[in-house]
Amino acid sequence: MTPEKQRICLWFYTQGEEAAQFYISLLPDSRIDRVRRSEVDQHASVVEFTLGGIGYVALNAGPHLRLTEAVPISVLANDQAEVDRLWSALVSQGGEGGRCGWLRDRFGLSWQILPRAVPRLLAEADRDAAGRVAQAFMEMGKVDIAGLEAAFADDARDRSTADEPAPWEGPTED
């Protein structure tokens, strides 16, 4: 194995190997590359792994630093089934969902699970439709592709009733 020039290092208190094993179960082109164990207690101190073709290091280095939302893993999912599978796995066992596809897994690592439809719909030339998609997206936790596509299409029922007068509600008092 030839070491990569750059890898992403994730600092864990003690759960680096467990986290790496979990992460590689989620995405294709993922594997544990090397585990270095501490000579003192035989726990993994460094786990080199590949996640979705990208090199990572899980470092068990104690409580001095914490994972932060400022450095998430972003995954572009191909379809709703992949969004659902990844979201469910990552929020299980103590993870926590957020807004706009963001979540934090049980190890404290932040992720954003986005379907490929999000950047595609947001980049559409119809800026009004893209704006509706952005508004719908901002209100979602786990991203729902059908909901984004409905916002893009601006459901014809909503347009047809917008120009009609309000229904008569009976006589008013003068």
Side-chain angles (χ1 to χ4, degrees), residues 49-67:
F49 65 105
T50 300
L51 181 63
I54 299 171
Y56 286 82
V57 173
L59 176 65
N60 283 340
H64 313 294
L65 297 176
R66 303 257 182 235
L67 296 168

Side-chain angles (χ1 to χ4, degrees):
M1 179 180 93
T2 304
E4 299 92 15
K5 185 173 183 173
Q6 296 176 316
R7 296 175 298 176
I8 299 163
C9 184
L10 304 173
W11 184 297
F12 293 91
Y13 182 49
T14 60
Q15 297 176 303
E17 187 172 13
E18 181 184 352
Q21 289 287 353
F22 173 61
Y23 299 154
I24 67 165
S25 74
L26 300 173
L27 298 173
D29 194 16
S30 299
R31 65 189 173 278
I32 299 294
D33 298 312
R34 179 192 278 176
V35 178
R36 295 184 190 154
R37 300 204 180 275
S38 166
E39 293 179 16
V40 175
D41 62 11
Q42 290 305 303
H43 286 93
S45 56
V46 176
V47 179
E48 298 174 20
F49 65 105
T50 300
L51 181 63
I54 299 171
Y56 286 82
V57 173
L59 176 65
N60 283 340
H64 313 294
L65 297 176
R66 303 257 182 235
L67 296 168
T68 172
E69 292 86 5
V71 183
I73 294 176
S74 182
V75 178
L76 284 175
N78 291 320
D79 54 30
Q80 190 66 51
E82 188 175 18
V83 169
D84 295 345
R85 179 184 65 79
L86 291 170
W87 184 275
S88 294
L90 289 163
V91 298
S92 71
Q93 300 179 21
E96 180 180 19
R99 294 179 62 139
C100 304
W102 290 95
L103 61 89
R104 182 177 302 128
D105 71 26
R106 68 182 182 248
F107 302 104
L109 184 61
S110 291
W111 297 72
Q112 188 178 38
I113 307 302
L114 287 178
R116 292 184 184 279
V118 171
R120 177 181 53 80
L121 291 170
L122 291 175
E124 285 288 336
D126 182 341
R127 300 315 303 152
D128 289 336
R132 291 189 302 273
V133 169
Q135 182 61 40
F137 175 66
M138 295 296 289
E139 295 171 6
M140 293 179 177
K142 177 178 70 173
V143 179
D144 172 38
I145 297 170
L148 296 177
E149 289 173 344
F152 184 84
D154 190 27
D155 192 355
R157 290 176 305 193
D158 293 339
R159 280 196 305 263
S160 65
T161 59
D163 296 329
E164 295 176 9
W168 185 69
E169 296 180 7
T172 60
E173 295 182 29
D174 289 334

